[in-house]
Amino acid sequence: MSYKAEYIWIDGTEPTARLRSKTRILADGADLPDWGFDGSSTNQAPGDRSDCVLKPVFSCPDPIRGGDNKLVLCEVYLVDGTPHETNTRAKLRPVAEQFEAQDSWYGIEQEYTFFKDGRPLGFPERGYPAPQGFYYCGVGSDEVFGRDIVEQHMDACLAAGLKISGINAEVMPGQWEFQIGPAGTIEVGDHLWIARWLLYRIAEEHDVSATLDPKPVEGDWNGAGAHTNFSTKAMREGYDAIIAACEALAEKAQEHVAGYGADIERRLTGMHETAPWSEFSYGVSDRGASVRIPWQVEVDKKGYIEDRRPNANVDPYVVTRLITGTCCAALEKAGLV
């Protein structure tokens, strides 16, 4: 007997990395071995030194193939045993370990847009649909497009054991969101990357593409983000830690924006429920701020914050490395741990 292992990794395409995958047949019960690939075809190596190494770091049941088959998320290494420069998970690990005692939780709201025949799913062949608004959490064939794909994707994530916690239609035709979390600092990225792969793979079966473009349609339409919800044990127990985390993010605002996804200035314009990319603000129940403190958090004087700046195309390992490093260091310095 044998099973199929779909090895999945993040390539070196700039400015936004892409997912790659290939299948390996393994004997029943066999462990997941390291594997190799041609890095010259993934923007990760020159042609004369093209070998790169895949090291499995997370696996789950394959909900598409079923049976004993697996999806296998891998880190990319060089043949000398060191992490590849594009391996952002490896760069996150020491930060996550340094602040492990603060017990960080993350929830990432992944927005995305379906495209078919060169336009968003649900857009007419010529012109534009009705303005945004009614599509958000809508129902009915005149407001919702692609629900069959979305439902299939949600079921696949559940079958794979991913920490998916919800879905909803967004403000533009063909635009949707799924949420991953609560999950740990590294875990949320592992689950999000696999959920993205499943989204692309399932949409493929419907002859539809899914894009994480932060501004898929120019004009009076919201962009696509990956709002990132964050808390530590201290934040879940007291309000002083909430404010300290917001103030820490303010001090490193531009460093974070630089790591929050390509073309972020196209989305963070100060309009369409965003703050300008060049400014930082935080506020209670304010979806026009860089960081929102939910109203219930202010009432309870404890909870979490939502960083609204990350783009849909952000690398989750980068966003959790930045937030953990910035906020946890500040909380530690302030004695709020």
Side-chain angles (χ1 to χ4, degrees), residues 4-36:
K4 303 167 189 171
E6 189 71 15
Y7 277 57
I8 299 167
W9 73 97
I10 302 150
D11 77 1
T13 301
E14 294 182 344
T16 301
R18 294 172 175 263
L19 282 167
R20 308 279 183 144
S21 71
K22 61 176 181 172
T23 307
R24 183 161 186 172
I25 310 301
L26 296 169
D28 186 36
D31 292 334
L32 297 166
D34 291 353
W35 203 11

Side-chain angles (χ1 to χ4, degrees), residues 31-267:
D31 292 334
L32 297 166
D34 291 353
W35 203 11
F37 70 96
D38 173 14
S40 68
S41 297
T42 63
N43 302 305
Q44 289 170 299
D48 59 345
R49 297 188 306 279
S50 64
D51 287 336
C52 290
V53 180
L54 296 174
K55 288 187 174 290
V57 291
F58 171 73
S59 66
C60 62
D62 184 340
I64 296 175
R65 287 171 169 155
D68 294 329
N69 302 305
K70 296 180 180 180
L71 301 179
V72 184
L73 184 66
C74 301
E75 286 189 21
V76 177
Y77 275 70
L78 299 171
V79 293
D80 65 4
T82 59
H84 194 279
E85 175 61 27
T86 62
N87 185 347
T88 55
R89 191 180 188 276
K91 295 173 184 176
L92 168 61
R93 280 203 307 275
V95 177
E97 291 168 2
Q98 180 182 353
F99 298 109
E100 183 178 8
Q102 294 197 38
D103 192 20
S104 296
W105 294 0
Y106 282 91
I108 298 181
E109 306 169 26
Q110 178 68 74
E111 294 179 337
Y112 60 93
T113 309
F114 288 131
F115 268 72
K116 187 175 179 63
D117 299 327
R119 60 183 181 276
L121 195 65
F123 269 48
E125 289 188 28
R126 294 180 176 81
Y128 290 90
Q132 69 177 31
F134 292 118
Y135 311 105
Y136 173 71
C137 295
V139 62
S141 61
D142 57 338
E143 295 180 358
V144 175
F145 307 90
R147 192 186 295 276
D148 53 343
I149 309 173
V150 171
E151 291 283 339
Q152 188 178 342
H153 173 253
M154 177 172 59
D155 288 344
C157 288
L158 289 169
L162 304 182
K163 288 188 173 179
I164 187 169
S165 50
I167 61 169
N168 61 268
E170 271 299 335
V171 301
M172 190 179 78
Q175 193 175 61
W176 291 82
E177 175 186 298
F178 66 87
Q179 300 94 34
I180 295 291
T185 304
I186 296 176
E187 180 185 42
V188 72
D190 291 348
H191 286 220
L192 184 57
W193 277 115
I194 292 293
R196 285 175 172 178
W197 186 90
L198 283 169
L199 177 67
Y200 300 146
R201 177 63 181 79
I202 290 167
E204 179 185 312
E205 295 179 359
H206 296 262
D207 195 26
V208 169
S209 61
T211 176
L212 305 185
D213 190 311
K215 194 71 173 180
V217 177
E218 299 297 334
D220 193 20
W221 301 94
N222 283 16
H227 301 157
T228 301
N229 301 279
F230 167 72
S231 71
T232 64
K233 184 175 184 291
M235 293 167 68
R236 295 189 292 274
E237 295 177 349
Y239 201 66
D240 287 347
I242 296 283
I243 298 303
C246 292
E247 292 290 343
L249 289 171
E251 292 181 8
K252 295 191 175 182
Q254 291 311 304
E255 177 185 339
H256 281 239
V257 164
Y260 278 5
D263 296 325
I264 199 165
E265 68 281 355
R266 291 173 53 217
R267 175 176 150 264

